[in-house]
Amino acid sequence: MTFDETDFAKRVPKKILDRTKENMEVYNMGLYDSFKEAVRELSKPGTKLWKAWYYDDFREYIPCVYISEYLNFKKYPLKYKDK
């Protein structure tokens, strides 16, 4: 898999994008694992992105790695939405 910024549905800090790209191109990780590692290491605690990592739910950020059925946020709401 190659890195492509169009895979991201929401704006993500540049340092996280860069780390994701590095993980994918240097360490041959997939998008999900690369993004998860980058968010874990570089996001600030308490931010929405950090909460997405905490609940292991990146549907808002990288929907292309999920089954389309689970992108229905009314049927499957985000656990961190109201927290």
Side-chain angles (χ1 to χ4, degrees), residues 15-16 19 35-43 53:
K15 62 183 180 177
I16 292 176
R19 180 71 164 259
F35 187 66
K36 184 176 180 179
E37 189 277 336
V39 171
R40 182 186 72 227
E41 294 299 320
L42 302 172
S43 66
W53 166 78

Side-chain angles (χ1 to χ4, degrees), residues 2-31:
T2 58
F3 179 81
D4 186 358
E5 283 191 42
T6 61
D7 289 338
F8 295 87
K10 290 184 92 172
R11 187 185 171 286
V12 176
K14 182 164 176 26
K15 62 183 180 177
I16 292 176
L17 279 178
D18 291 344
R19 180 71 164 259
T20 302
K21 182 177 182 178
E22 176 188 356
N23 287 340
M24 291 179 75
E25 294 178 353
V26 176
Y27 302 108
N28 296 314
M29 295 168 69
L31 176 59

